[in-house]
Amino acid sequence: MSQASVIVVGNEKGGAGKSTIAIHTAVALAHAGAKVAVLDLDLRQQTMGHFFQSRAKWLEANNAEAPMPIVHPVSNDGAALAKASDEEALARFHEAFGECQGADFVLIDTPGADTAISRAAHGLADLIVTPMNDSFVDFDMLGQVDPVTLELTKHSLYSETVWNCRKLRAAKDRKMIDWVVLRNRLAPTEARNRKRLDERVNALAKKVGFRVGPGLRDRVIYRELFPFGLTIADLSPKIRPVAMSLQHVAARQELRAVMTALGISGLDGEILAAE
């Protein structure tokens, strides 16, 4: 897998938008002409897997064409594998990962929990993408603050996991894993809480070594397109399952900003792998 760039979307909290970011990143890369393989490690939920199943069905039913990533299921029965031993789950993961040979990018969506295969995926990453919502509830997934002063007191167990993966990777391959935290679903107006959160995120970024970038807002268009297996990058004169508006233009610009933050331009026909 030395030629593929491995992107892992992860944190240990549900509802932060991991699958949304993973789906949009995979489709944007595919539109840029990259050969993209995807692995969904959320064995019970399988949001990304279901999305690409819907995509294949919708495109066939509507005689439409759009780039399709290569989906490599870790198991035909994810719920059963989620109950299996760590050894069996890891064996299945490494087998599926090995099937991604020849891809330009391997994009891995992880569950909102600490699992053996999630840790293994983080250790293989070239780029870790961690979405967080605009609140101290999500910040707790990265670090803890003093309840009186709101000063940063320590980093979280997830930050520790990423830190350990980066140290092991650097010792083994002399390569540092890049880590980007995306500020997802930002509130539309500035507020005192936003300023406090910004200060703590930036302080933690310097302490544990991640970059901060913009995420995706909570837009209706993302939810409208999901049942069809489509993203904002797919919309065209031939693919338009919902009415278009100026908000869709803003959403496309938003996705382009995410790709730029990751070190990738997935909407302009260029692929800039993060170093």
Side-chain angles (χ1 to χ4, degrees):
M1 298 304 301
S2 59
Q3 294 183 349
S5 180
V6 181
I7 303 173
V8 172
V9 182
N11 62 30
E12 292 180 8
K13 182 183 181 301
K18 289 191 299 295
S19 294
T20 300
I21 290 293
I23 287 163
H24 280 78
T25 301
V27 172
L29 287 170
H31 270 286
K35 184 177 180 181
V36 184
V38 297
L39 294 173
D40 191 345
L41 302 190
D42 192 344
L43 300 176
R44 292 177 58 83
Q45 191 68 27
Q46 289 288 292
T47 299
M48 186 166 69
H50 294 156
F51 174 88
F52 285 116
Q53 288 175 8
S54 299
R55 183 180 183 84
K57 291 178 181 177
W58 191 91
L59 291 173
E60 182 180 5
N62 289 273
N63 196 28
E65 293 184 3
M68 185 76 181
I70 304 166
V71 182
H72 291 279
V74 177
S75 171
N76 292 327
D77 190 345
L81 185 59
K83 298 177 183 178
S85 66
D86 286 350
E87 290 76 12
E88 182 177 351
L90 285 168
R92 296 284 187 88
F93 164 64
H94 287 297
E95 181 181 352
F97 186 77
E99 293 172 355
C100 299
Q101 289 282 0
D104 299 310
F105 290 87
V106 178
L107 197 143
I108 305 175
D109 190 18
T110 61
D114 177 38
T115 66
I117 56 174
S118 180
R119 291 194 300 274
H122 279 71
L124 293 171
D126 295 301
L127 170 65
I128 295 174
V129 182
T130 300
M132 65 166 284
N133 291 328
D134 192 35
S135 74
F136 275 103
V137 175
D138 267 31
F139 179 78
D140 193 63
M141 175 265 303
L142 293 172
Q144 297 178 16
V145 296
D146 184 277
V148 178
T149 65
L150 291 185
E151 290 302 314
L152 182 67
T153 57
K154 64 178 182 178
H155 52 269
S156 69
L157 291 176
Y158 178 71
S159 292
E160 239 176 68
T161 296
V162 175
W163 180 253
N164 288 332
C165 287
R166 297 175 90 185
K167 286 195 298 183
L168 290 172
R169 184 68 175 277
K172 180 182 178 182
D173 300 332
R174 295 186 178 181
K175 181 174 182 178
M176 179 60 71
I177 299 173
D178 191 14
W179 185 16
V180 180
V181 172
L182 298 181
R183 300 288 300 279
N184 242 11
R185 299 169 181 164
L186 291 178
T189 57
E190 292 294 333
R192 182 184 303 176
N193 190 62
R194 164 77 68 79
K195 182 179 179 182
R196 289 170 175 168
L197 188 59
D198 286 346
E199 291 172 349
R200 276 54 187 186
V201 170
N202 290 329
L204 186 60
K206 294 177 182 177
K207 186 175 181 180
V208 301
F210 58 74
R211 298 187 289 114
V212 182
L216 300 177
R217 292 184 183 273
D218 188 17
R219 296 184 183 274
V220 173
I221 183 60
Y222 300 135
R223 297 193 294 272
E224 284 183 327
L225 292 175
F226 181 86
F228 308 114
L230 300 174
T231 75
I232 194 73
D234 295 307
L235 297 182
S236 69
K238 294 184 178 180
I239 298 181
R240 191 170 294 184
V242 297
M244 298 289 287
S245 72
L246 290 177
Q247 288 298 315
H248 297 175
V249 177
R252 188 180 290 269
Q253 293 285 74
E254 193 171 272
L255 178 56
R256 183 177 287 110
V258 169
M259 296 298 104
T260 300
L262 301 185
I264 301 164
S265 177
L267 297 178
D268 298 327
E270 295 178 349
I271 302 171
L272 302 176
E275 295 181 356

